[in-house]
Structure formats: structure tokens, C-alpha cells
Amino acid sequence: FLHVECDLFNAIRDGVLNDTHKKYVVYQLAKTLVYLHGCGILHRDLKPSNILIDSDVELKYAILDYQGHFIITRMKNLI
């Protein structure tokens, strides 16, 4: 079970991220995208509301599979 505080969209909208947090978020996103693209994976629905963020500013990527089930992947597991 993964505990998340909110999604990235709400964190941005509510202004809860300081400059250090924002840099860490961008760093995690960039490393994950480089890794995925290196594996030949391109996601067409990458948006802040699909990226979950916990109190340690660790990102998780939430997507629906073809059967409508949520899949939550820690971005750190991808890099």
C-alpha cells in the first residue's frame, strides 16, 4: 500500500512546493522520462494529475490499465 498526499496538479495549484521541492520534482521527472524513452516507451497521457506526490516529495505515476484498474509505480523504481 502506497500512501500519497495528493497529485502534482493539486500540489502546484495549492502552492505547497517550495523551490527545492520543485527542483526535485523536475529532477525525478527528467530521470524517469530519459529512462522510459531509452527503453522505447512513450506515454501519451503524462500530466500532473497522473503523478502522485507524497510528503517526502517522492513521485509515483498512476495510470489505468486496459481493464480500468489503477497501477501505481514509484518513479524511483524506474530509474
Side-chain angles (χ1 to χ4, degrees), residues 13-78:
R13 183 193 65 203
D14 296 342
V16 297
L17 301 174
N18 65 33
D19 287 343
T20 303
H21 294 146
K22 291 174 189 173
K23 290 176 186 177
Y24 188 50
V25 165
V26 170
Y27 169 77
Q28 291 180 81
L29 288 171
K31 285 200 66 152
T32 301
L33 288 174
V34 166
Y35 174 80
L36 291 174
H37 290 179
C39 294
I41 299 170
L42 181 64
H43 200 284
R44 63 184 182 156
D45 197 27
L46 185 63
K47 58 187 176 185
S49 59
N50 287 343
I51 299 170
L52 307 176
I53 187 167
D54 67 14
S55 59
D56 295 326
V57 195
E58 298 294 335
L59 302 182
K60 285 93 177 155
Y61 188 61
I63 57 172
L64 289 174
D65 67 9
Y66 292 109
Q67 298 175 342
H69 301 108
F70 260 115
I71 300 171
I72 299 175
T73 303
R74 292 177 193 238
M75 291 196 168
K76 276 191 165 182
N77 291 349
L78 299 175

